[in-house]
Amino acid sequence: MSAECLKKYNTHPFPDDDTSYLKLFDIDRYNKKYWLYKTIEGWTIKGVIRHINKDGSKRIFQFSYDGNKFVNVTKHIKNCPPLHADKLQKLDQDHQIRFGEGEKVADAMQAYFPDAFCTTWSGGCKNWRKTDWSVLRGFTDVVIAPDADKGGVDAAEEIAWHLDEEYGVKARVIDLPNTLPIGWDFADEIPDGINISKLIENAKAPDKRSGWENIDDDIARKRLVYIIDSLKLYWDRDNRKMMKEQNINLLYKRNRTRLRVTPVAYLHEQGIECVDGTAYWPSDDEIIRDGSLTFLNTFRPNYIAPVVNVDMNLIANIRNHMKHVLCAGDEATFAYLEDTLSFDFQYPERNRTFAWIFSSAQGVGKTLMFHFLNKCYGKHNCAWVHTDNLVDKYRSFMKSCYVIFCNEIDISGAGNGQKLDKLKELITEDMHPIEQKYVDTINHKGHFRLWASSNKHIPIKPESSDRRIAFVIIRITREQLLKDDPDYFNKLWADVENDEVIKHFYNYYKNREISPSFNPNEPINTTSREELIQIARPQAFKELDDLLKQRSGVFDRDIVNTRDILNHLRYLDDQRADNKQRPRYDRFDEMTIHRWLENIGAKPIWNNQPVSIIGNKKTNRKRYKAIRNIDYWVTCSEITYMRAHMRYKFEVGDATSATDLAADVELHTEGNGTLASKAHVPFVSETPEDPY
């Protein structure tokens, strides 16, 4: 029994029939008033002594038993019950429970209300939080009588709020007349005209509190966390939202005690918790560390009950919709989409660095599928945004989600390059600067799964090297779907609203084996994606593509440079002018040509250093790139082969020696002509037929 009592109340029970404390603390000698606190189990765990000094002042002593002897209480007993708590178990739930502030007041109230159970908590108005109030759970008639001072009234209201919020007990608080002397209580003389029974009868439960009445309690509970990067934002753990400094200062005007400084300054004086930035990371850790930085993680997991045996028939409709509509019936695309969902549900803490985008005519169920996934990820983890929000300067939604749905995505038109870069950063990075109006930029740690759709055929213009977009063009129409099954969409919406379907769908992918070929950092290269990349290429690139295929002029050789290509385009336009045709390439410049070479994967030769291959070796040094047989020319260290190739004397695969080639094209080297020596051969004049 002693061990159990010690564990629960941090003290030993008084020994049975041992009243030596009466002599030890001079209770009998001076006829001191004392009270014994008993637990609901019937253990006596603490005594309170009231001693009146000769000058009329009072002193309160507490004592307990340490397992060997009775001692003065120096450390407050844990979970201390109200006075006479052992009697509560014998009372009906509708029995009158009356609280006064202090043991003397409880005795006085008991005399006034003999049919009620009158009690108190230990330690006065400042120590009400150290009481175990759970023993009142279920009682329906609890009234608290405060002392007639601010501290007493505040404590009574705090207790009533605590009983309501924690245990569902609607305690009422007596509204004392303002004519009573400061500090009056029920142990004092009842003034004329005061009907104490009416006071009890008219007692009311205090209005719901705003939550900003006790800054010290909030500090003790670590309610607020300061975000250093923001200079003015605080995370409110109670309401799970960011608060601005000025709002906190205003709200704490409701604080019970007046502060000598602003509430925000007081928070920092008391050493509230601080972090560098914010995070929304699928993890149970509230504080995430990244090197020397700390981030407040506001992620909340989405709980979906596990399923032992998934009913595949239950999720057949939604999977068929994924395969035959969203994936246009393509098996490989469907498998990759399923792997994506499996990865997302099994590894929410890992980043997936590509997005899915679906394009179709209206009404084929793209948004419907997003609503379904919204429930699987958890709606509190998702954000629904427009394109403008997605690439805007201010993207505060990023602080409270890790899944993004965007209907009608459109990264085209003016400034599409900058928008696309911002979209790529959103998809790939896990550290993001988040700007907010009138708030300093915050470093936010998080990654995002992006699902997007569009009714436009070309909603985005990715480059050929893009590794961020999995794109599908849905060619089936709503009319075709309804023709085959008039109830098609009604069935799907029923699945969206069916929690059992959600549960089985989620558990299927949560436990499904991911294909070894799946790469969370690489999108599947669908036919639609290839088509999109080709359509989205600038018209200038397509013109150059045609010349490359035709092997026109300089494009007949494996090695080219931007200036020679530009000269060839001007030559072609001159030819058109001779035939009285409009110029075709007059807007082309070397920057456009350079970007095109990058786009088709051309690689620099000769370590990207200027080299003389044709013309005067002193004045005709240029940086060349290989557009065919790239691997060979990038690693080639023999300049003779390059010069011979440009003179149609050598093709990749020929077995001709460099010495024979040099003699054949009358090139005489100064040195060995290797990459190491960077030697160059004498100038060979160009023939008149050369268009470059």
Side-chain angles (χ1 to χ4, degrees):
M1 179 185 75
S2 181
E4 185 180 349
C5 181
L6 181 64
K7 181 178 180 181
K8 184 173 182 181
Y9 299 105
N10 198 35
T11 188
H12 293 270
F14 286 18
D16 294 339
D17 302 324
D18 185 351
T19 59
S20 59
Y21 55 82
L22 296 174
K23 182 178 180 180
L24 178 65
F25 299 114
D26 290 329
I27 293 173
D28 284 344
R29 181 181 178 186
Y30 294 106
N31 196 27
K32 297 177 182 178
K33 186 67 177 174
Y34 75 98
W35 295 266
L36 299 177
Y37 277 76
K38 293 191 174 186
T39 70
I40 56 174
E41 298 91 352
W43 301 324
T44 303
I45 60 170
K46 185 173 74 169
V48 175
I49 304 170
R50 180 186 178 89
H51 178 72
I52 305 299
N53 298 318
K54 291 181 179 180
D55 61 2
S57 62
K58 67 176 181 179
R59 287 187 294 168
I60 305 296
F61 299 95
Q62 300 183 51
F63 64 94
S64 65
Y65 187 72
D66 69 359
N68 294 307
K69 60 185 182 300
F70 289 101
V71 295
N72 285 324
V73 174
T74 57
K75 187 175 181 181
H76 200 84
I77 290 173
K78 183 172 66 174
N79 299 321
C80 185
L83 185 64
H84 310 312
D86 56 311
K87 298 179 181 179
L88 286 171
Q89 293 191 95
K90 303 173 184 178
L91 303 177
D92 295 332
Q93 297 283 278
D94 59 353
H95 195 89
Q96 298 174 6
I97 309 294
R98 305 292 180 251
F99 273 89
E101 185 183 323
E103 295 82 8
K104 182 182 177 182
V105 175
D107 287 352
M109 292 181 70
Q110 191 67 68
Y112 287 126
F113 310 107
D115 294 333
F117 172 74
C118 297
T119 183
T120 187
W121 65 93
S122 177
C125 63
K126 294 183 179 180
N127 290 303
W128 68 266
R129 295 177 186 82
K130 298 176 181 178
T131 296
D132 178 13
W133 296 97
S134 67
V135 296
L136 296 177
R137 185 185 277 113
F139 285 97
T140 60
D141 187 2
V142 179
V143 175
I144 304 169
D147 285 1
D149 53 36
K150 187 177 188 305
V153 173
D154 287 353
E157 290 188 346
E158 293 277 357
I159 293 169
W161 283 325
H162 180 74
L163 287 171
D164 182 21
E165 294 164 2
E166 297 297 325
Y167 308 112
V169 177
K170 303 294 183 183
R172 295 178 291 139
V173 177
I174 292 176
D175 184 13
L176 297 173
N178 55 18
T179 57
L180 290 172
I182 298 296
W184 180 90
D185 59 41
F186 272 81
D188 295 327
E189 182 180 350
I190 308 296
D192 292 339
I194 299 294
N195 186 329
I196 59 174
S197 295
K198 280 291 185 183
L199 290 178
I200 296 286
E201 183 181 335
N202 294 332
K204 295 180 180 179
D207 294 336
K208 294 284 186 182
R209 60 176 165 183
S210 67
W212 302 93
E213 287 82 4
N214 196 321
I215 193 170
D216 290 308
D217 188 46
D218 290 345
I219 292 170
R221 295 186 301 106
K222 297 184 177 181
R223 174 179 179 177
L224 296 167
V225 182
Y226 177 54
I227 313 299
I228 297 173
D229 285 347
S230 71
L231 298 181
K232 62 180 69 175
L233 289 181
Y234 296 75
W235 174 252
D236 180 0
R237 283 185 167 117
D238 285 0
N239 297 313
R240 295 192 60 81
K241 67 178 182 180
M242 289 292 175
M243 303 289 297
K244 289 185 178 180
E245 176 181 308
Q246 64 235 47
N247 282 346
I248 290 176
N249 285 332
L250 286 172
L251 290 167
Y252 273 128
K253 287 183 178 294
R254 297 163 172 79
N255 189 54
R256 293 292 191 183
T257 57
R258 186 176 296 276
L259 303 174
R260 60 179 178 78
V261 293
T262 63
V264 162
Y266 184 73
L267 289 171
H268 288 282
E269 283 183 357
Q270 301 303 310
I272 70 160
E273 192 173 359
C274 299
V275 295
D276 294 290
T278 60
Y280 201 89
W281 198 273
S283 165
D284 293 332
D285 298 329
E286 186 191 31
I287 304 298
I288 293 178
R289 299 188 179 277
D290 190 341
S292 62
L293 301 178
T294 56
F295 299 89
L296 179 78
N297 185 21
T298 60
F299 170 78
R300 287 182 296 150
N302 183 44
Y303 177 74
I304 295 179
V307 174
V308 177
N309 296 310
V310 172
D311 186 346
M312 297 303 293
N313 291 326
L314 200 60
I315 63 175
N317 283 342
I318 202 74
R319 290 184 71 241
N320 285 335
H321 182 68
M322 287 166 51
K323 178 178 181 179
H324 297 292
V325 177
L326 296 185
C327 296
D330 184 75
E331 291 282 357
T333 305
F334 177 55
Y336 217 75
L337 179 58
E338 289 203 295
D339 282 333
T340 301
L341 292 174
S342 298
F343 176 83
D344 284 5
F345 295 164
Q346 293 173 32
Y347 305 105
E349 74 284 356
R350 291 174 56 186
N351 196 5
R352 163 167 60 87
T353 60
F354 69 87
W356 280 91
I357 300 179
F358 303 94
S359 171
S360 75
Q362 291 184 353
V364 299
K366 304 185 298 293
T367 303
L368 181 152
M369 188 66 203
F370 290 174
H371 280 288
F372 187 88
L373 294 179
N374 182 68
K375 291 192 173 184
C376 293
Y377 289 112
K379 62 181 181 180
H380 57 277
N381 291 323
C382 304
W384 292 76
V385 303
H386 298 291
T387 299
D388 291 343
N389 306 123
L390 204 59
V391 296
D392 189 45
K393 178 181 180 181
Y394 305 110
R395 298 185 287 181
S396 59
F397 67 87
M398 292 167 60
K399 298 199 306 295
S400 55
C401 72
Y402 81 101
V403 181
I404 300 172
F405 296 107
C406 181
N407 282 328
E408 296 308 317
I409 191 170
D410 184 6
I411 311 292
S412 60
N416 70 86
Q418 185 177 2
K419 292 178 182 178
L420 191 57
D421 288 342
K422 205 166 183 67
L423 184 66
K424 289 179 181 178
E425 170 262 322
L426 179 74
I427 296 170
T428 60
E429 302 301 321
D430 59 15
M431 191 69 73
H432 305 268
I434 298 180
E435 296 185 50
Q436 298 178 94
K437 292 182 179 179
Y438 316 117
V439 176
D440 280 33
T441 300
I442 296 176
N443 284 318
H444 177 79
K445 187 173 178 63
H447 56 245
F448 302 93
R449 281 97 158 90
L450 176 61
W451 299 89
S453 66
S454 178
N455 295 329
K456 294 185 67 173
H457 191 62
I458 309 177
I460 191 168
K461 293 183 176 180
E463 298 173 352
S464 59
S465 59
D466 176 79
R467 294 167 43 240
R468 302 293 167 251
I469 305 298
F471 183 72
V472 182
I473 297 175
I474 302 170
R475 304 190 188 278
I476 196 169
T477 66
R478 181 180 182 85
E479 290 71 26
Q480 289 173 304
L481 292 170
L482 291 175
K483 181 180 179 181
D484 294 337
D485 182 0
D487 209 29
Y488 182 84
F489 291 103
N490 291 334
K491 292 176 182 176
L492 286 177
W493 277 114
D495 285 346
V496 173
E497 300 301 325
N498 189 328
D499 290 341
E500 282 298 305
V501 176
I502 298 289
K503 183 167 67 174
H504 283 254
F505 181 90
Y506 174 83
N507 277 279
Y508 172 68
Y509 289 105
K510 175 73 173 175
N511 298 289
R512 174 183 173 273
E513 185 177 352
I514 300 174
S515 305
S517 60
F518 177 76
N519 185 344
N521 300 314
E522 291 283 349
I524 184 171
N525 189 27
T526 63
T527 303
S528 300
R529 182 174 177 273
E530 291 181 347
E531 179 183 337
L532 177 69
I533 290 173
Q534 186 58 35
I535 293 174
R537 297 183 79 235
Q539 187 58 39
F541 287 12
K542 296 176 183 178
E543 298 280 359
L544 291 168
D545 288 345
D546 290 341
L547 294 175
L548 180 63
K549 290 177 183 178
Q550 297 165 12
R551 303 181 75 101
S552 171
V554 293
F555 296 108
D556 189 36
R557 299 289 80 201
D558 294 353
I559 305 170
V560 297
N561 68 75
T562 55
R563 175 54 59 89
D564 288 347
I565 292 174
L566 183 61
N567 288 339
H568 178 61
L569 297 178
R570 289 171 177 170
Y571 168 79
L572 293 177
D573 269 345
D574 288 343
Q575 295 291 96
R576 292 174 64 84
D578 291 344
N579 296 324
K580 298 182 179 180
Q581 293 177 288
R582 293 178 58 186
R584 188 170 185 174
Y585 308 106
D586 59 327
R587 295 188 179 183
F588 284 61
D589 55 24
E590 287 196 53
M591 180 57 70
T592 301
I593 297 168
H594 174 77
R595 285 172 42 230
W596 172 74
L597 289 170
E598 292 289 325
N599 183 263
I600 65 171
K603 300 293 182 183
I605 64 170
W606 205 256
N607 275 353
N608 202 28
Q609 298 298 314
V611 60
S612 173
I613 296 179
I614 274 190
N616 189 297
K617 69 176 182 179
K618 294 182 178 179
T619 62
N620 204 39
R621 295 164 60 85
K622 299 174 184 177
R623 286 185 171 86
Y624 288 85
K625 290 187 176 181
I627 55 175
R628 297 186 194 88
N629 299 307
I630 294 173
D631 291 341
Y632 177 84
W633 292 115
V634 166
T635 58
C636 180
S637 60
E638 180 59 72
I639 199 169
T640 301
Y641 288 141
M642 300 175 188
R643 290 171 172 159
H645 174 74
M646 298 302 283
R647 292 296 184 182
Y648 294 88
K649 300 292 185 177
F650 173 78
E651 301 297 330
V652 174
D654 290 353
T656 312
S657 71
T659 303
D660 292 341
L661 284 173
D664 193 30
V665 295
E666 298 179 354
L667 300 177
H668 304 288
T669 63
E670 299 175 357
N672 59 15
T674 63
L675 185 62
S677 67
K678 290 187 172 58
H680 298 282
V681 297
F683 169 72
V684 178
S685 61
E686 297 173 320
T687 59
E689 300 83 45
D690 285 335
Y692 52 92

